[in-house]
Amino acid sequence: FSSRRRHTRFRNVTGVQTCALPIFDAFGEVLRLQPESGAAHRHIGAVLASTGRRADAIGHLARAAALAPDDGQARLDLGSVLIESGRPADAVAPLREAARLLPASSEVRNSLGVALAASGREADAASQFAEALRLDPRNAEARQNLDRAARAGRRGAGTRR
């Protein structure tokens, strides 16, 4: 199952990863002046994730989510980095909250499906992939994930007989 995330798009926007350093410094200065800025924590978390520093990114994204209870993007980013870090079960809660806050987001539903599938909850994952497709019928990644979930379900049903 796959979930392409904003962090790869961030790299495309900034060019090479070394361009992230001035952005990181700028948001670091914002945090120095406003340590309770959820937006600054979210942006620093995105920069850290884009440069492969996932453990540090998780800390900033979790802080962003705590500081900004209505920031669905912070929860989506947190869940995505948790998946990338091999912690899909931990990603389910922030992604469920992101789905509540961003109900029209196909990307959120696909990411939640990925976390559920990687946590062994294939039926729940399939329903999230289907919802992602309902929200955006052109979401090729969700379509592929739904097909994989269906194949996994058929294989599982065959072994239970």
PDB file of all heavy atoms in Angstrom, residues 68-81:
ATOM      1  N   ALA A  68      -2.617  23.357  17.959  1.00  0.00           N
ATOM      2  CA  ALA A  68      -3.655  23.811  17.023  1.00  0.00           C
ATOM      3  C   ALA A  68      -4.680  22.698  16.831  1.00  0.00           C
ATOM      4  O   ALA A  68      -4.590  21.915  15.889  1.00  0.00           O
ATOM      5  CB  ALA A  68      -3.019  24.208  15.697  1.00  0.00           C
ATOM      6  N   PRO A  69      -5.651  22.590  17.732  1.00  0.00           N
ATOM      7  CA  PRO A  69      -6.589  21.472  17.695  1.00  0.00           C
ATOM      8  C   PRO A  69      -7.410  21.363  16.418  1.00  0.00           C
ATOM      9  O   PRO A  69      -7.911  20.293  16.102  1.00  0.00           O
ATOM     10  CB  PRO A  69      -7.502  21.718  18.897  1.00  0.00           C
ATOM     11  CG  PRO A  69      -6.982  22.895  19.618  1.00  0.00           C
ATOM     12  CD  PRO A  69      -5.888  23.505  18.822  1.00  0.00           C
ATOM     13  N   ASP A  70      -7.528  22.446  15.647  1.00  0.00           N
ATOM     14  CA  ASP A  70      -8.312  22.400  14.411  1.00  0.00           C
ATOM     15  C   ASP A  70      -7.453  22.277  13.158  1.00  0.00           C
ATOM     16  O   ASP A  70      -7.960  22.409  12.047  1.00  0.00           O
ATOM     17  CB  ASP A  70      -9.183  23.662  14.302  1.00  0.00           C
ATOM     18  CG  ASP A  70     -10.245  23.705  15.385  1.00  0.00           C
ATOM     19  OD1 ASP A  70     -10.684  22.626  15.836  1.00  0.00           O
ATOM     20  OD2 ASP A  70     -10.630  24.818  15.790  1.00  0.00           O
ATOM     21  N   ASP A  71      -6.162  22.015  13.314  1.00  0.00           N
ATOM     22  CA  ASP A  71      -5.249  21.918  12.177  1.00  0.00           C
ATOM     23  C   ASP A  71      -5.195  20.482  11.662  1.00  0.00           C
ATOM     24  O   ASP A  71      -4.410  19.656  12.127  1.00  0.00           O
ATOM     25  CB  ASP A  71      -3.857  22.412  12.585  1.00  0.00           C
ATOM     26  CG  ASP A  71      -2.884  22.503  11.416  1.00  0.00           C
ATOM     27  OD1 ASP A  71      -3.188  21.989  10.324  1.00  0.00           O
ATOM     28  OD2 ASP A  71      -1.809  23.106  11.609  1.00  0.00           O
ATOM     29  N   GLY A  72      -6.056  20.192  10.700  1.00  0.00           N
ATOM     30  CA  GLY A  72      -6.084  18.855  10.118  1.00  0.00           C
ATOM     31  C   GLY A  72      -4.816  18.516   9.371  1.00  0.00           C
ATOM     32  O   GLY A  72      -4.386  17.368   9.349  1.00  0.00           O
ATOM     33  N   GLN A  73      -4.186  19.526   8.755  1.00  0.00           N
ATOM     34  CA  GLN A  73      -2.947  19.280   8.009  1.00  0.00           C
ATOM     35  C   GLN A  73      -1.839  18.795   8.944  1.00  0.00           C
ATOM     36  O   GLN A  73      -1.067  17.917   8.578  1.00  0.00           O
ATOM     37  CB  GLN A  73      -2.505  20.550   7.279  1.00  0.00           C
ATOM     38  CG  GLN A  73      -1.362  20.311   6.321  1.00  0.00           C
ATOM     39  CD  GLN A  73      -1.744  19.392   5.178  1.00  0.00           C
ATOM     40  OE1 GLN A  73      -2.750  19.611   4.524  1.00  0.00           O
ATOM     41  NE2 GLN A  73      -0.949  18.376   4.937  1.00  0.00           N
ATOM     42  N   ALA A  74      -1.765  19.339  10.159  1.00  0.00           N
ATOM     43  CA  ALA A  74      -0.752  18.886  11.114  1.00  0.00           C
ATOM     44  C   ALA A  74      -0.946  17.416  11.438  1.00  0.00           C
ATOM     45  O   ALA A  74       0.015  16.649  11.532  1.00  0.00           O
ATOM     46  CB  ALA A  74      -0.805  19.723  12.391  1.00  0.00           C
ATOM     47  N   ARG A  75      -2.197  16.998  11.588  1.00  0.00           N
ATOM     48  CA  ARG A  75      -2.483  15.594  11.892  1.00  0.00           C
ATOM     49  C   ARG A  75      -2.200  14.694  10.696  1.00  0.00           C
ATOM     50  O   ARG A  75      -1.687  13.592  10.848  1.00  0.00           O
ATOM     51  CB  ARG A  75      -3.922  15.454  12.362  1.00  0.00           C
ATOM     52  CG  ARG A  75      -4.064  15.932  13.784  1.00  0.00           C
ATOM     53  CD  ARG A  75      -5.485  16.370  14.106  1.00  0.00           C
ATOM     54  NE  ARG A  75      -5.559  16.835  15.487  1.00  0.00           N
ATOM     55  CZ  ARG A  75      -5.125  18.024  15.891  1.00  0.00           C
ATOM     56  NH1 ARG A  75      -4.589  18.858  15.048  1.00  0.00           N
ATOM     57  NH2 ARG A  75      -5.217  18.374  17.155  1.00  0.00           N
ATOM     58  N   LEU A  76      -2.521  15.179   9.497  1.00  0.00           N
ATOM     59  CA  LEU A  76      -2.191  14.411   8.297  1.00  0.00           C
ATOM     60  C   LEU A  76      -0.683  14.244   8.174  1.00  0.00           C
ATOM     61  O   LEU A  76      -0.187  13.139   7.927  1.00  0.00           O
ATOM     62  CB  LEU A  76      -2.762  15.104   7.054  1.00  0.00           C
ATOM     63  CG  LEU A  76      -2.357  14.514   5.703  1.00  0.00           C
ATOM     64  CD1 LEU A  76      -2.757  13.042   5.588  1.00  0.00           C
ATOM     65  CD2 LEU A  76      -2.975  15.337   4.576  1.00  0.00           C
ATOM     66  N   ASP A  77       0.056  15.325   8.354  1.00  0.00           N
ATOM     67  CA  ASP A  77       1.520  15.245   8.279  1.00  0.00           C
ATOM     68  C   ASP A  77       2.076  14.310   9.352  1.00  0.00           C
ATOM     69  O   ASP A  77       2.954  13.487   9.076  1.00  0.00           O
ATOM     70  CB  ASP A  77       2.143  16.628   8.424  1.00  0.00           C
ATOM     71  CG  ASP A  77       1.892  17.524   7.223  1.00  0.00           C
ATOM     72  OD1 ASP A  77       1.406  17.042   6.190  1.00  0.00           O
ATOM     73  OD2 ASP A  77       2.193  18.732   7.330  1.00  0.00           O
ATOM     74  N   LEU A  78       1.559  14.419  10.574  1.00  0.00           N
ATOM     75  CA  LEU A  78       2.021  13.548  11.663  1.00  0.00           C
ATOM     76  C   LEU A  78       1.761  12.086  11.324  1.00  0.00           C
ATOM     77  O   LEU A  78       2.653  11.242  11.438  1.00  0.00           O
ATOM     78  CB  LEU A  78       1.337  13.930  12.982  1.00  0.00           C
ATOM     79  CG  LEU A  78       1.626  13.024  14.188  1.00  0.00           C
ATOM     80  CD1 LEU A  78       3.118  12.972  14.488  1.00  0.00           C
ATOM     81  CD2 LEU A  78       0.825  13.503  15.391  1.00  0.00           C
ATOM     82  N   GLY A  79       0.550  11.777  10.900  1.00  0.00           N
ATOM     83  CA  GLY A  79       0.220  10.399  10.546  1.00  0.00           C
ATOM     84  C   GLY A  79       1.097   9.877   9.425  1.00  0.00           C
ATOM     85  O   GLY A  79       1.575   8.743   9.463  1.00  0.00           O
ATOM     86  N   SER A  80       1.340  10.707   8.432  1.00  0.00           N
ATOM     87  CA  SER A  80       2.162  10.285   7.294  1.00  0.00           C
ATOM     88  C   SER A  80       3.599   9.988   7.713  1.00  0.00           C
ATOM     89  O   SER A  80       4.179   8.998   7.280  1.00  0.00           O
ATOM     90  CB  SER A  80       2.145  11.364   6.214  1.00  0.00           C
ATOM     91  OG  SER A  80       0.829  11.542   5.741  1.00  0.00           O
ATOM     92  N   VAL A  81       4.163  10.837   8.574  1.00  0.00           N
ATOM     93  CA  VAL A  81       5.542  10.604   9.023  1.00  0.00           C
ATOM     94  C   VAL A  81       5.598   9.366   9.924  1.00  0.00           C
ATOM     95  O   VAL A  81       6.563   8.597   9.870  1.00  0.00           O
ATOM     96  CB  VAL A  81       6.125  11.853   9.722  1.00  0.00           C
ATOM     97  CG1 VAL A  81       7.507  11.569  10.294  1.00  0.00           C
ATOM     98  CG2 VAL A  81       6.198  13.016   8.746  1.00  0.00           C
TER      99      VAL A  81
END
